[in-house]
């Protein structure tokens, strides 16, 4: 993808504050961090989102997450961390090249990354679970 900025960063055409790199990924500090140390893992081979990712690459990518998260936590001394990943505009994705966020969190944080808890009607969750289960290939 010639026009994709994360392709250029992931493959080293544009310099970045890199904290980890191997053949398939590059992890960099986010340019507009939610907190100091906020990092993003970029795949080197362009995929717009998780729905375009093959299982083998997904496995490789997610196997890297714990060691990078641990390194960030050790250096920052944060109390917790949100690992999140946005797929599609509706989900808050703004750069359409797959990436995983590492956001350090502190007990004193006032901002919450979360959602308002909802609910299901009687039997609704079981029915929905069953329908989704049938689609898992
Ligand atoms: P999204 O909303 O797509 O999940 O997250 C995109 C993230 O990429 C944002 O947190 C944004 O700050 C970060 N970002 C966008 N452009 C650049 C850039 O050129 N360099 C770096 N390091 N981060 C970027
Ligand atoms: Zn790309």
């Amino acid at each position: 993808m010639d026009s994709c900025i994360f392709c250029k960063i992931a493959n080293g055409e544009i310099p970045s504050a890199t904290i980890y790199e191997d053949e398939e990924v590059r992890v960099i500090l986010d340019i507009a961090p939610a907190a100091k140390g906020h990092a993003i893992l970029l795949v080197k081979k362009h995929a717009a989102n998780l729905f375009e990712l093959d299982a083998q690459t997904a496995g490789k990518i997610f196997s890297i997450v714990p060691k990078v998260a641990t390194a960030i936590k050790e250096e920052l001394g944060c109390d917790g961390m949100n690992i999140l990943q946005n797929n599609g505009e509706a989900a808050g994705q703004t750069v359409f090249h797959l990436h995983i966020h590492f956001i350090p969190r502190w007990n004193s944080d006032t901002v919450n990354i979360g959602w308002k808890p909802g609910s299901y009607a009687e039997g609704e969750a079981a029915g929905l679970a069953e329908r989704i289960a049938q689609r898992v290939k």
Side-chain angles (χ1 to χ4, degrees):
M1 282 276 284
D2 287 350
S3 59
C4 175
I5 187 163
F6 277 9
C7 275
K8 293 190 175 109
I9 293 173
N11 291 292
E13 287 170 52
I14 295 177
S16 60
T18 295
I19 60 180
Y20 176 82
E21 183 187 8
D22 64 24
E23 281 178 9
E24 280 150 295
V25 306
R26 180 188 295 271
V27 186
I28 64 173
L29 291 182
D30 194 293
I31 203 168
K36 295 270 169 73
H38 176 174
I40 43 180
L41 179 154
L42 316 179
V43 285
K44 289 194 173 175
K45 187 175 165 217
H46 183 88
N49 55 47
L50 200 72
F51 301 113
E52 291 187 2
L53 205 60
D54 62 272
Q56 194 183 344
T57 309
K60 171 70 202 299
I61 290 169
F62 282 96
S63 74
I64 294 159
V65 169
K67 66 179 174 186
V68 171
T70 300
I72 295 170
K73 189 170 185 295
E74 280 177 6
E75 176 59 28
L76 275 288
C78 54
D79 301 309
M81 188 174 298
N82 290 110
I83 306 293
L84 61 92
Q85 200 269 315
N86 299 327
N87 297 285
E89 206 173 342
Q93 187 174 11
T94 59
V95 180
F96 297 95
H97 174 124
L98 188 134
H99 53 282
I100 300 169
H101 292 266
F102 300 73
I103 304 178
R105 303 301 303 271
W106 280 263
N107 291 331
S108 58
D109 283 355
T110 49
V111 177
N112 193 23
I113 298 172
W115 56 87
K116 187 167 167 259
S119 62
Y120 288 107
E122 180 80 24
E124 189 183 358
L128 180 58
E130 175 62 24
R131 292 196 303 281
I132 296 171
Q134 285 173 7
R135 291 179 184 271
V136 178
K137 299 183 182 100

